[in-house]
Amino acid sequence: MKIRIGFLRGGRLSDSSALPAGKGNLRVPFSWLLVMPFAIQVFGAVGLVGYLSYKNGQRAINDLAQQLEEEISLRVDQYLNSYLALPPHLNELNLDAIEQGLLDPRDIESAGRYFWKQSQVFEQLSYIGYALADQSGAGAGAGAGAGRWFEGQDIVITQHPARQSDDYTYAADEQGNKTALVHSTEYDAVNDDWYVQTAAAGKPIWSEVYVAEGFDDYIAVSANAPMYDDERKLLGILSIDLLLADISKVLKQIDVSENGQVFIMERDGRLIAGSGRQSIISAQADEPDRFSISNSPDPLLRSLGQSLQQQFGSLEAIPDQQTLEMFFEGQQQLVSLQSWRDDYGLDWIIVVSVPESDFTAQIRANNRTTVLLCLLALAVATTSGVFTSRWVSRPILRMGQASRAIASGNLEQSVKSSSVRELDILAGSFNQMAEKLRSSFSLLEQSNTELEHRVEVRTQDLQQALDELNWAQSQMVQSEKMSALGKMVAGIAHEINNPVNFIHGNLDYVQQYTEDLLHLIQLYQQHFPQPPDAIKAEQDRLNIEFLMEDLSKVLASMNVGTERIQEIVLSLRNFSRLDESDLKAVDLHQGIDSTLLILQHRLKATSARPEIVVIKEYAVLPLADCYAGPLNQVFMNILVNAIDALEERDKDRSDEEANENPSTITIRTVVVGDFVKIVIVDNGAGMALAVQQKIFDPFYTTKPVGEGTGMGLSISYQIITQKHQGKLSCFSAVGEGTTFVIEIPIHPL
């Protein structure tokens, strides 16, 4: 602020330059200069961050949705490759059996038993059989087969004797021998579509998809293969009917998203399978038939069919891989189309549809939060700026008023002191200036120059002090945030433990109180065996005898449940040992048992395999100085690999083999000199020498893509050898299981 001082005339001051500014000069209030920059900066920063956050979130959602659809399409593609490969492969095996003389198609008795055994093994096949041509010498249409299609029977055998027009269906015993005729019907297989089309093709092909006979809710497809003699004459046609209902079951198990769907259709739009609740088979017609995507009862599929028709003109024109967007009920749908074909004529399309809203809900919530934070920050910045500007500008305004009074000739002016140190010094200087002005006008110009210099210096000091204040305030806010976060995390951990301990501690009292009340009821029943009708009716309604018997069981199960929760919490704490980052004396058996408890769900029997038995052969071990958390991680990695190996082996074993040689994991501990030796043995399939030599290499894994990183054993080896100065060894042979040996010093140097 610069003050112009005029000359003293007649006892008053006159300004040599007029104080009022010209009309063209723009005047901005000082408070605005303090408030507006900070408000604009805060609003701009928060708005920019919110916009970038929204764009990045939108981009991430699109990438995530695309990756999800690609992953689902890949999984469905892999499943179809596996599921639909069985019938053609089985036809090849049967052709080889015929060529090698293991199966004589002219002997329909032995052929029926042969196919009955195959039907026993492959439950997804509804029929396996053949039909002979005239060239076989057995008569047109002769054949045999077996399968599951006759209601009330498990597996039946069908025979078509030579030179006869009827098919005969027989029940079978447990060895595959015919027991009784259950059905007969006239049938000419040689003139049926599946036979004619396969004979014309001259190679293995699939039939058209059809509603399975005897399974009106299921659809099926037939894999057919011609049989030729040495002179390339047609002997007959092998045929296998495959039920496609399992495909829908697998699609329903795929976790697409909350409202996402995946389905499969043919090139003409007729549905094969889907993850939705609507059936793909229409029962309204005279004969059951499949829905098309255009007339499906599912409105989403109908809408998608219309979109595909509009975009491609015809479903036949859909490319092998395509992604598109469509709107359904006001919501955008992300759709992925992926073709699937095989070598035998199937040409299907895998469709994955995911609503964008399944991914954008969090983005919208973040946008609302960002807007609220922006408005809050703007309000806080504006309010604090207004108060700060008033606090700072008020003393300056008083000083300006005094200056204008002095310029007008009123020298009896003084400025009040301020709570701001710099402004207080400025006020004192201003008062000294006015005093000197009154005492000596000769020093007026010098005093004015000194005042200008002091104002400039103090203004710079004030700006510096304000910057330091803002920095200290931001540091204090950050510290408070971190402190509040720490208290919140500690409080949550405390609140989780308290309810479990409270419930478990009060169950004994509840048990005692319950027993007392039940005893009281029994006394009432003994002394008042004939209660009033109202009480007896209520007893009958409540089933008091069952209630008295079951209540103790319920309380006992609750007690077991709380004890189980406490055991799991204790095991998790023992396993993680986050509070033990230093070398400490540890009970190794406790770490192994905690790891086993965490893996208990994987050791239990499943529908695919029996229970994995853990055999503990523990010796008496001293407390070993080690890093408990990393060492538990080693136990986890080795035991998980053992379980994976046993599960992989059990997939190819029958129930009889599993009972004769159950899956086991044996854990032995022993003290050898100054070392503790821990041996973990599984009776899995073992490893070849080439694999065994690489298992500790980083990123090496024998598991399929997406099921392993190849870092578990590499990290375990580093933990044992470097962190604990021990040894980690592996011994294995194909068919003889795998043994891991951990050796760590009891007291490392």
Side-chain angles (χ1 to χ4, degrees):
M1 182 174 61
K2 186 174 181 180
I3 300 177
R4 303 275 304 179
I5 305 298
F7 300 99
L8 187 63
R9 293 182 180 175
R12 296 180 60 86
L13 289 174
S14 64
D15 194 355
S16 60
S17 61
L19 286 176
K23 294 183 180 180
N25 294 337
L26 179 63
R27 294 173 178 263
V28 180
F30 183 68
S31 59
W32 284 25
L33 294 178
L34 291 176
V35 175
M36 293 304 297
F38 297 106
I40 293 174
Q41 291 177 17
V42 171
F43 185 83
V46 175
L48 180 61
V49 170
Y51 174 78
L52 295 178
S53 175
Y54 171 78
K55 297 299 292 184
N56 291 335
Q58 190 71 29
R59 189 181 300 110
I61 289 301
N62 291 334
D63 294 342
L64 178 60
Q66 184 175 0
Q67 292 174 9
L68 176 63
E69 292 177 340
E70 292 175 355
E71 175 67 20
I72 293 172
S73 298
L74 178 60
R75 288 174 58 186
V76 175
D77 183 271
Q78 292 174 346
Y79 173 76
L80 292 178
N81 289 337
S82 173
Y83 188 76
L84 294 171
L86 174 61
H89 180 64
L90 196 56
N91 276 335
E92 293 178 5
L93 294 177
N94 292 335
L95 287 173
D96 291 340
I98 294 173
E99 292 177 0
Q100 296 175 13
L102 302 177
L103 174 62
D104 185 1
R106 291 170 297 182
D107 185 356
I108 60 176
E109 293 290 335
S110 62
R113 288 192 297 271
Y114 179 88
F115 291 124
W116 182 89
K117 293 179 180 180
Q118 287 189 346
S119 296
Q120 284 282 92
V121 177
F122 305 106
E123 296 182 356
Q124 66 269 45
L125 306 181
S126 64
Y127 175 79
I128 308 175
Y130 66 94
L132 295 177
D134 271 334
Q135 293 85 342
S136 66
R148 298 175 175 86
W149 75 86
F150 197 86
E151 185 176 359
Q153 299 290 333
D154 182 15
I155 300 177
V156 295
I157 297 175
T158 180
Q159 293 181 350
H160 192 105
R163 293 176 296 278
Q164 294 188 24
S165 61
D166 287 345
D167 262 352
Y168 297 94
T169 301
Y170 299 91
D173 59 18
E174 296 181 355
Q175 285 72 40
N177 299 313
K178 296 187 303 181
T179 58
L181 178 67
V182 296
H183 183 68
S184 66
T185 183
E186 185 176 352
Y187 178 61
D188 185 8
V190 175
N191 293 315
D192 206 344
D193 290 342
W194 65 271
Y195 187 102
V196 174
Q197 293 172 1
T198 308
K203 63 179 182 179
I205 63 171
W206 289 100
S207 70
E208 293 185 358
V209 179
Y210 60 93
V211 178
E213 181 179 358
F215 302 87
D216 290 345
D217 292 334
Y218 293 160
I219 61 173
V221 66
S222 173
N224 308 311
M227 300 182 290
Y228 294 99
D229 61 10
D230 296 338
E231 298 178 0
R232 194 59 185 176
K233 291 183 179 179
L234 182 66
L235 298 178
I237 304 295
L238 286 171
S239 180
I240 297 178
D241 294 347
L242 175 66
L243 294 177
L244 302 181
D246 287 345
I247 300 179
S248 291
K249 295 178 182 178
V250 171
L251 297 184
K252 289 178 176 15
Q253 295 173 358
I254 296 177
D255 187 10
V256 182
S257 69
E258 182 178 358
N259 299 298
Q261 288 195 40
V262 55
F263 62 93
I264 303 172
M265 66 179 182
E266 293 186 283
R267 278 285 174 178
D268 60 1
R270 289 183 294 175
L271 297 175
I272 299 295
S275 63
R277 299 181 179 178
Q278 300 288 349
S279 174
I280 66 171
I281 299 177
S282 172
Q284 296 180 357
D286 295 337
E287 295 183 1
D289 196 7
R290 290 178 293 146
F291 284 114
S292 170
I293 187 176
S294 301
N295 64 359
S296 170
D298 190 331
L300 174 61
L301 299 189
R302 293 200 305 272
S303 177
L304 178 58
Q306 296 174 1
S307 297
L308 294 177
Q309 291 283 358
Q310 294 175 359
Q311 183 162 351
F312 300 103
S314 171
L315 298 179
E316 301 287 342
I318 297 177
D320 289 347
Q321 187 171 3
Q322 180 72 30
T323 58
L324 54 92
E325 297 179 357
M326 58 168 281
F327 282 88
F328 174 69
E329 295 181 350
Q331 293 187 0
Q332 186 170 2
Q333 301 278 332
L334 305 178
V335 182
S336 171
L337 306 173
Q338 178 72 43
S339 295
W340 183 89
R341 300 184 180 93
D342 71 350
D343 298 330
Y344 304 101
L346 291 183
D347 187 2
W348 294 349
I349 300 176
I350 303 171
V351 183
V352 182
S353 175
V354 180
E356 189 182 48
S357 60
D358 285 1
F359 298 92
T360 58
Q362 188 61 42
I363 289 183
R364 294 193 181 98
N366 290 339
N367 291 340
R368 290 192 296 268
T369 303
T370 301
V371 171
L372 291 177
L373 288 176
C374 181
L375 296 176
L376 179 61
L378 180 62
V380 171
T382 303
T383 303
S384 61
V386 169
F387 282 104
T388 303
S389 63
R390 289 181 179 178
W391 183 43
V392 173
S393 62
R394 190 168 297 166
I396 298 177
L397 291 175
R398 289 198 298 265
M399 191 180 303
Q401 293 173 356
S403 299
R404 287 194 294 271
I406 292 176
S408 300
N410 185 7
L411 301 179
E412 299 297 325
Q413 297 292 326
S414 63
V415 180
K416 296 180 180 180
S417 61
S418 173
S419 57
V420 181
R421 184 179 60 183
E422 289 78 7
L423 291 178
D424 186 64
I425 296 174
L426 181 61
S429 301
F430 183 85
N431 291 333
Q432 291 178 6
M433 181 200 69
E435 181 66 27
K436 290 181 180 180
L437 182 62
R438 288 192 298 268
S439 62
S440 177
F441 182 75
S442 61
L443 300 176
L444 182 61
E445 288 294 334
Q446 181 179 358
S447 298
N448 185 43
T449 302
E450 292 176 358
L451 180 60
E452 291 176 358
H453 177 68
R454 289 179 180 179
V455 170
E456 183 178 355
V457 171
R458 299 312 178 196
T459 303
Q460 293 177 355
D461 293 342
L462 177 62
Q463 183 63 43
Q464 182 179 358
L466 185 59
D467 293 340
E468 292 175 355
L469 177 62
N470 289 333
W471 180 85
Q473 183 182 13
S474 63
Q475 292 296 316
M476 182 179 64
V477 171
Q478 184 64 23
S479 298
E480 288 297 327
K481 286 181 179 179
M482 298 307 295
S483 175
L485 181 60
K487 292 178 180 178
M488 181 184 68
V489 172
I492 291 174
H494 178 71
E495 290 299 328
I496 288 175
N497 283 327
N498 279 347
V500 174
N501 293 334
F502 174 78
I503 295 171
H504 185 73
N506 283 287
L507 280 177
D508 291 338
Y509 298 107
V510 174
Q511 178 72 29
Q512 182 61 44
Y513 299 158
T514 302
E515 292 175 355
D516 292 342
L517 291 174
L518 294 177
H519 179 66
L520 179 60
I521 292 174
Q522 292 174 351
L523 290 177
Y524 268 104
Q525 291 177 339
Q526 292 175 5
H527 293 283
F528 299 97
Q530 298 298 327
D533 292 340
I535 296 178
K536 188 169 189 322
E538 186 66 15
Q539 286 180 345
D540 294 339
R541 188 186 69 83
L542 295 177
N543 195 357
I544 195 67
E545 288 78 9
F546 171 77
L547 187 147
M548 294 170 63
E549 178 183 353
D550 193 57
L551 185 55
S552 297
K553 297 179 182 180
V554 171
L555 291 174
S557 65
M558 292 172 62
N559 191 51
V560 171
T562 55
E563 290 177 353
R564 178 66 174 169
I565 293 173
Q566 290 177 331
E567 290 175 0
I568 292 174
V569 171
L570 179 60
S571 297
L572 290 173
R573 292 182 59 187
N574 291 335
F575 175 78
S576 61
R577 307 299 282 267
L578 297 177
D579 57 339
E580 299 182 11
S581 59
D582 298 330
L583 199 66
K584 292 186 178 180
V586 174
D587 183 355
L588 298 179
H589 288 163
Q590 186 184 61
I592 297 174
D593 291 341
S594 298
T595 306
L596 288 173
L597 183 58
I598 294 172
L599 294 174
Q600 187 64 37
H601 68 286
R602 293 203 59 190
L603 297 172
K604 295 179 180 178
T606 65
S607 59
R609 60 161 179 81
E611 178 185 8
I612 298 175
V613 180
V614 178
I615 303 173
K616 300 179 184 178
E617 298 178 2
Y618 289 172
V620 178
L621 299 182
L623 296 179
D625 294 335
C626 62
Y627 299 93
L631 192 58
N632 288 340
Q633 183 181 358
V634 175
F635 297 151
M636 175 68 76
N637 289 334
I638 295 176
L639 289 172
V640 167
N641 282 343
I643 295 173
D644 291 342
L646 292 172
E647 288 182 343
E648 184 66 24
R649 183 195 64 170
D650 287 342
K651 289 194 302 186
D652 302 326
R653 297 203 305 169
S654 64
D655 294 341
E656 183 178 353
E657 291 175 332
N659 292 330
E660 292 177 356
N661 184 20
S663 300
T664 61
I665 298 176
T666 303
I667 305 175
R668 304 188 188 97
T669 61
V670 65
V671 178
V672 181
D674 295 332
F675 284 78
V676 173
K677 181 184 290 187
I678 303 170
V679 182
I680 301 177
V681 184
D682 68 72
N683 62 344
M687 294 181 286
L689 180 61
V691 176
Q692 185 179 343
Q693 292 174 343
K694 297 180 180 180
I695 60 173
F696 294 127
D697 295 345
F699 304 108
Y700 178 78
T701 180
T702 59
K703 297 179 181 179
V705 176
E707 294 186 11
T709 63
M711 292 300 294
L713 290 178
S714 175
I715 294 173
S716 299
Y717 186 82
Q718 182 181 19
I719 291 172
I720 296 299
T721 58
Q722 297 182 14
K723 203 172 187 67
H724 290 87
Q725 304 172 17
K727 292 172 61 179
L728 177 58
S729 308
C730 177
F731 306 95
S732 182
V734 176
E736 299 181 4
T738 303
T739 300
F740 281 91
V741 180
I742 303 171
E743 299 178 75
I744 59 173
I746 299 175
H747 302 292
L749 300 178

